[in-house]
Amino acid sequence: MARILKKEVLTPQIKLMVVEAPWVAKKAKPGQFVILRVNEEGERIPLTIADYDPALGTVTIIFQEVGKTTMMLGELEEGDDILDFVGPLGREIEERYFGHVVCVGGGVGIAPTYPKAKALKACGNRVTSIIGARTASLLFWEDKMRSVSDVLYVTTDDGTYGEKGFVTHVLERVLKSEKVDLVVAVGPVMMMKMVSLLTKEYGVPTLVSLNPIMVDGTGMCGCCRVTVDGKCRFTCVDGPVFDGWKVDFDELLARQRTYLEEERRALDLWLVEKAKEEVSHGF
Ligand code: NAD
Ligand code: FES
């Protein structure tokens, strides 16, 4: 069990939780993730660690409420327990000096971008960060990203804050005008695909952090398989960080849609059950 010490609503659908998990906090490295289960009947979901404090024994997770499990998690309050909180899992990002690193975080992907940018800055790299969201109200952690970046650019698709357009627009400008030694991108699959296509044009090595469907998180079930450089890789044990130029993003996009119908049905059923319960309790 892991107790929720702090809960914060970052945007209407994105929530932050600081969780008491000293065994995870002690060993966590930037790029790693946890798998959690809200209750006995619940599914297991992977969440990339957004921050951790070994001294306090806490781990910060940030998630978007997109389905039944994330909505159930979002209903928990400070003082509640998360049934299972397993980690840290996966391989960490290489912490060393590269030179000039550009970190790109899209939407909810801004959260897992932060520990990577922080670690790379601590290794003496010059860090330029680019964060973007669809609209101003969906942006979060601008201040945290600024605190670990030499330069920070902010974009919104609709222009309600920062520069109007995708993160890739700014990235292309930076690639054209500055020497960049490494790009690290975390966000929607389509964003990471477009970033990787762009950096390939400019010959800049690129790391992406993948989050496919996962079940066990320990290399047993094969659910998280992705094709990298023509070879089958398990994201949970071989990743989640991979060379963006070598990832088969189209296959990943197709695999992510595999259980959309089942996920929609599970959410509908849960919402109906929840409504019934509220009626029976006289709400
Ligand atoms: P979103 O669709 O709102 O996009 C966020 C930003 O990404 C956009 O503002 C834009 O700047 C950029 N982007 C999106 N599509 C692009 C394109 N075609 N070309 C260039 N840039 C593009 O993102 P969201 O709704 O916050 O994210 C949800 C997705 O992110 C989910 O699919 C989730 O699985 C994924 N996610 C991934 C990770 C990870 O570790 N890789 C972590 C959290 C969330
Ligand atoms: Fe089962 Fe990776 S989640 S092998």
Side-chain angles (χ1 to χ4, degrees), residues 8-16 62-64 108 138 140:
E8 214 178 294
V9 178
L10 297 179
T11 79
Q13 277 185 326
I14 302 177
K15 290 182 178 157
L16 170 154
I62 290 182
F63 57 94
Q64 187 174 27
V108 202
L138 296 177
F140 61 91

Side-chain angles (χ1 to χ4, degrees), residues 37-44 68 72 83:
R37 202 161 57 121
V38 176
N39 60 26
E40 283 289 347
E41 296 85 38
E43 63 169 341
R44 297 155 65 89
K68 178 184 164 189
M72 284 169 71
L83 182 66

Side-chain angles (χ1 to χ4, degrees), residues 106-108 132-134 157 166-168 186-188 190 192 194 209 211:
V108 202
R134 260 169 283 152
D157 302 3
F166 285 165
V167 281
T168 40
V186 195
M190 193 49 90
M192 295 190 284
M194 300 318 283
S209 178
N211 70 332

Side-chain angles (χ1 to χ4, degrees), residues 35 213-225 234-237:
I35 286 203
I213 297 164
M214 286 194 190
V215 177
D216 64 303
T218 56
M220 305 285 278
C221 69
C223 256
C224 65
R225 63 184 179 275
F234 287 177
T235 306
C236 64
V237 286

Side-chain angles (χ1 to χ4, degrees), residues 96-114:
R96 70 169 174 89
Y97 178 76
F98 293 91
H100 181 198
V101 180
V102 177
C103 294
V104 186
V108 202
I110 295 169
T113 304
Y114 169 75

Side-chain angles (χ1 to χ4, degrees), residues 30-32 48-51 62 93 101-121 127-132 140-141 144-145 148-149 152 167 183-188 191-192 207-209:
Q32 292 189 296
T48 313
I49 295 170
D51 206 359
I62 290 182
I93 195 168
V101 180
V102 177
C103 294
V104 186
V108 202
I110 295 169
T113 304
Y114 169 75
K116 297 177 181 71
K118 183 178 172 185
L120 290 165
K121 179 84 186 120
V127 175
T128 296
S129 296
I130 307 167
I131 57 170
F140 61 91
W141 273 20
K144 296 254 297 183
M145 284 302 298
V148 294
S149 309
L152 176 76
V167 281
V183 170
V184 178
V186 195
M191 181 206 94
M192 295 190 284
L207 297 174
V208 294
S209 178

